[in-house]
Amino acid sequence: PFQLMDHIEDPLEDDADLDLNMFQGEEELDDFTFQFGEVQPVKIKGEPMERQHIQHVTGLLLWPASHALCHFITHSPDLFKDKNVVELGSGVGLCGILCACSDQCESVILTDHDDRVLDLLAQNLSLNIHDSDGTKTRRTLCKVDKLAWGDHASITAFQLAHGARVPLLIGSDLVYVRASVEPLFVTVDALLMHEDPLARHRPSFILSFIDRCNHYPHLIEMADKHGFEHTQVPLETFMKEIPSPAPRLMIFTRKWSS
């Protein structure tokens, strides 16, 4: 059973540069098109990071670490082939929608906790998997659903709707507030399949993030607390150009039982 969160610690140790609770202004969404590998271009409505200090809904922003995860997805098709994938904290949905457009995955579920973000996710998903007449163009089963990290009722409702566990979780730029890291791993522990010695790939949580405020030690501490080990994938193995600041691309798997 997964551990529930009774207390959110260190609420003031957020990323000072982001001023997450100080956003003002209304949503003015721009149109973007991204190309990764040989997958069809992905169309996204969202806001550029230049508006981070006036946008009060962080999930409407195009977070930069998503690009690293997208490159990894197109570079590692075998890892995603025929998998049921859940994207945590999808935001505008770039990475999850890329999975859907690649037609490698069996299913993709895009999740977030904010209703405004969920509405945008549904729009962005439809932009990429339907023709103008509404005809579905991708074979991958795609859905959008609400999921709040560390919340027992939310996690249970999600599992009842979509099945208990999945072999692959993905997320990008989820680590910008220290207090959200443990609820994140509570959710990963609840949703990720347990090890199957006969499986070709280990059940994994793939995370890309830019460590803006030195949350990395806390991330590793919480992963270890909830029974996960990790590897860091060198960016040069799947990206031709390394951005600055450089993100981390990490794969978390359950520790093997002795």
Side-chain angles (χ1 to χ4, degrees):
F2 53 89
Q3 178 183 356
L4 302 182
M5 303 306 299
D6 298 319
H7 175 66
I8 299 296
E9 61 176 326
D10 298 325
L12 298 181
E13 295 192 28
D14 296 350
D15 188 333
D17 292 335
L18 291 177
D19 259 349
L20 294 177
N21 295 317
M22 302 298 293
F23 294 132
Q24 301 293 329
E26 298 180 355
E27 294 83 23
E28 296 179 3
L29 303 180
D30 293 347
D31 295 316
F32 300 88
T33 301
F34 299 97
Q35 178 77 58
F36 297 98
E38 301 300 319
V39 181
Q40 72 170 54
V42 178
K43 301 174 184 177
I44 293 291
K45 289 183 178 294
E47 292 210 36
M49 284 301 292
E50 288 80 4
R51 296 182 191 158
Q52 63 179 275
H53 294 294
I54 62 171
Q55 175 49 259
H56 62 288
V57 183
T58 60
L60 301 181
L61 295 164
L62 280 158
W63 292 83
S66 61
H67 290 243
L69 181 53
C70 286
H71 282 291
F72 182 78
I73 290 168
T74 56
H75 188 267
S76 312
D78 188 54
L79 186 61
F80 291 83
K81 185 173 177 58
D82 299 328
K83 294 292 198 315
N84 296 311
V85 178
V86 172
E87 183 178 24
L88 301 175
S90 295
V92 297
L94 177 59
C95 301
I97 291 172
L98 179 69
C99 285
C101 291
S102 71
D103 269 346
Q104 293 289 331
C105 305
E106 183 68 23
S107 69
V108 178
I109 306 175
L110 312 177
T111 71
D112 209 281
H113 73 283
D114 188 289
D115 290 335
R116 291 161 293 185
V117 176
L118 291 169
D119 288 342
L120 179 60
L121 271 175
Q123 293 179 44
N124 282 339
L125 184 60
S126 184
L127 279 175
N128 291 278
I129 67 168
H130 292 104
D131 284 337
S132 57
D133 63 358
T135 303
K136 190 173 184 291
T137 59
R138 317 309 307 178
R139 77 166 186 88
T140 301
L141 178 64
C142 307
K143 298 180 181 179
V144 172
D145 205 354
K146 192 167 189 172
L147 180 63
W149 302 345
D151 183 280
H152 175 72
S154 180
I155 293 171
T156 301
F158 184 86
Q159 291 175 316
L160 288 173
H162 306 291
R165 297 179 184 273
V166 295
L168 199 56
L169 300 170
I170 63 172
S172 63
D173 260 328
L174 306 182
V175 183
Y176 52 85
V177 177
R178 177 185 170 94
S180 70
V181 176
E182 186 161 18
L184 171 63
F185 275 98
V186 168
T187 306
V188 172
D189 187 26
L191 296 183
L192 190 65
M193 282 182 174
H194 289 279
E195 295 289 349
D196 178 359
L198 300 179
R200 185 173 183 180
H201 298 290
R202 299 180 66 184
S204 301
F205 168 43
I206 304 172
L207 173 69
S208 65
F209 73 102
I210 295 174
D211 193 8
R212 301 175 179 83
C213 209
N214 194 32
H215 293 321
Y216 178 76
H218 186 61
L219 175 76
I220 300 307
E221 178 187 356
M222 290 299 101
D224 180 71
K225 175 180 176 179
H226 290 278
F228 291 92
E229 57 191 11
H230 69 280
T231 58
Q232 183 164 327
V233 182
L235 298 180
E236 59 270 20
T237 62
F238 61 91
M239 296 182 74
K240 293 181 179 180
E241 297 182 6
I242 309 301
S244 180
R248 297 178 186 263
L249 194 292
M250 306 189 69
I251 301 179
F252 294 89
T253 52
R254 294 187 186 276
K255 298 176 183 178
W256 287 104
S257 299
S258 56

